[in-house]
Amino acid sequence: MRGAVRTLADLDLSPDELLTHLDDQMDRFLDERGDEGSLVTGANCLYVVYDPVSRRCRMARAGHLPPAVVSMDGGVDFIDLPGGPLPGVGGVVFEECEITLSDGDLLVLYTDGLLESPAQDLDTGLRRMRDTLSRTLPSVTPQEVCDTLIRELLPPGRQDDVAVLAARMSGLDMDCHVTWDIMAQDDMVGQARELTARQLACWGLEEESFTTELIVSELVTNAMRHGGEPITLRLIRDDNLICEVSDSSSTSPHVRRAQDTDEGGRGLYLVTQLTRN
């Protein structure tokens, strides 16, 4: 199941679409394994995607508890995220939720083993978790938050495993990214290269201009040829220089082996040789 999630995540699917594919994979696995499939019955999933540019967070769940958000003022909210059955039921529809997080907000993901046991029901565990998180100071690190939750909430006599994940949200500054909408017109490829060169000059990254312009040219051309509007080009300057091109197509591009007689088909191969995923 973990391997399937990682593979699907590489396709940049939306959270609800990823869970739908995961549900199909688990359904097929259970059919193939027969009685052995009961060993994985009960596995659940919460899938979250955070965009540090827009600061929007998209999520969907399959039989999992919703995450908690701790704001800078100490307020604690459990996300009103539509529920979904465990993966493997088959033929179900998953719904996603989108929220906007502010810099400094704390996103906390956890399994039910942290809150529920024979000696404590889930509602009691959630109340205790809210009280514990409400005392969290903005200066506390995510690791310290996890340690506190484990120390104060772990129920006695627990029979389930426990996982806790906390992330402090931090979006990118406005001067660290730029986004352009690209029209599906032939001359826009050249304009995309010019926009890229000017932006890299503003960032003092002229030495990266030639390679980045080549990458932008290939990706924008592919989006215009095989995708559809809206086409978006985004450059991000963080620890690395990141180039993103998106379009309306639901098909993910992939590198293919071009034959010696082919006139095209080498663009993405060149991109992969010049970049690091």
Side-chain angles (χ1 to χ4, degrees), residues 46 48 59 61 64-69 77-81 107-110:
L46 170 64
V48 180
M59 60 189 74
R61 61 179 175 138
H64 203 286
L65 293 174
V69 174
D77 292 308
F78 292 98
I79 304 302
D80 186 15
L81 180 60
L107 183 67
V108 182
L109 286 66
Y110 53 93

Side-chain angles (χ1 to χ4, degrees), residues 140-172:
V140 174
T141 67
Q143 181 62 59
E144 292 172 330
V145 172
C146 293
D147 293 341
T148 299
L149 290 175
I150 292 293
R151 183 176 61 252
E152 296 192 12
L153 300 184
L154 201 62
R158 65 180 179 87
Q159 299 176 352
D160 197 1
D161 57 351
V162 176
V164 183
L165 174 66
R168 183 77 68 183
M169 298 296 102
S170 178
L172 294 172

Side-chain angles (χ1 to χ4, degrees), residues 33-88:
R33 300 300 293 270
D35 293 339
E36 295 181 22
S38 61
L39 297 176
V40 297
T41 300
N44 51 45
C45 183
L46 170 64
Y47 189 75
V48 180
V49 178
Y50 174 67
D51 182 355
V53 174
S54 66
R55 291 170 171 77
R56 290 195 293 267
C57 190
R58 301 166 64 191
M59 60 189 74
R61 61 179 175 138
H64 203 286
L65 293 174
V69 174
V70 185
S71 60
M72 291 291 287
D73 61 4
V76 180
D77 292 308
F78 292 98
I79 304 302
D80 186 15
L81 180 60
L86 295 173

Side-chain angles (χ1 to χ4, degrees), residues 29-270:
F29 172 80
L30 294 175
D31 286 342
E32 293 173 351
R33 300 300 293 270
D35 293 339
E36 295 181 22
S38 61
L39 297 176
V40 297
T41 300
N44 51 45
C45 183
L46 170 64
Y47 189 75
V48 180
V49 178
Y50 174 67
D51 182 355
V53 174
S54 66
R55 291 170 171 77
R56 290 195 293 267
C57 190
R58 301 166 64 191
M59 60 189 74
R61 61 179 175 138
H64 203 286
L65 293 174
V69 174
V70 185
S71 60
M72 291 291 287
D73 61 4
V76 180
D77 292 308
F78 292 98
I79 304 302
D80 186 15
L81 180 60
L86 295 173
V89 174
V92 298
V93 177
F94 297 95
E95 298 181 60
E96 74 171 49
C97 171
E98 181 177 294
I99 62 173
T100 300
L101 297 174
S102 302
D103 290 353
D105 285 351
L106 190 71
L107 183 67
V108 182
L109 286 66
Y110 53 93
T111 58
D112 56 4
L114 178 68
L115 307 178
E116 194 173 26
S117 73
Q120 175 178 277
D121 60 27
L122 182 59
D123 289 339
T124 300
L126 288 172
R127 286 196 299 269
R128 293 182 60 202
M129 184 175 183
R130 182 187 294 274
D131 292 341
T132 302
L133 289 175
S134 65
R135 300 193 300 270
T136 300
L137 300 176
S139 59
V140 174
T141 67
Q143 181 62 59
E144 292 172 330
V145 172
C146 293
D147 293 341
T148 299
L149 290 175
I150 292 293
R151 183 176 61 252
E152 296 192 12
L153 300 184
L154 201 62
R158 65 180 179 87
Q159 299 176 352
D160 197 1
D161 57 351
V162 176
V164 183
L165 174 66
R168 183 77 68 183
M169 298 296 102
S170 178
L172 294 172
D173 294 335
M174 292 296 296
D175 60 350
C176 290
H177 61 87
V178 61
T179 302
W180 300 285
D181 293 327
I182 305 298
M183 303 294 293
Q185 301 172 357
D186 292 340
D187 61 339
M188 289 303 298
V189 177
Q191 292 186 33
R193 290 197 301 265
E194 293 176 5
L195 292 170
T196 298
R198 287 202 296 266
Q199 186 60 46
L200 293 185
C202 291
W203 285 339
L205 299 175
E206 292 90 347
E207 69 277 5
E208 304 293 339
S209 184
F210 177 79
T211 300
T212 308
E213 286 182 58
L214 176 59
I215 294 170
V216 167
S217 179
E218 291 293 341
L219 295 181
V220 170
T221 299
N222 275 351
M224 292 172 55
R225 183 173 300 171
H226 305 292
E229 295 182 344
I231 299 173
T232 301
L233 167 61
R234 183 161 73 176
L235 296 179
I236 300 173
R237 185 194 62 178
D238 195 28
D239 295 335
N240 299 292
L241 177 63
I242 301 173
C243 174
E244 297 180 350
V245 175
S246 61
D247 59 68
S248 62
S249 174
S250 60
T251 302
S252 298
H254 63 277
V255 180
R256 70 179 181 88
R257 181 180 178 84
Q259 301 299 318
D260 293 340
T261 56
D262 290 344
E263 295 183 2
R266 299 175 179 83
L268 289 182
Y269 174 77
L270 292 174

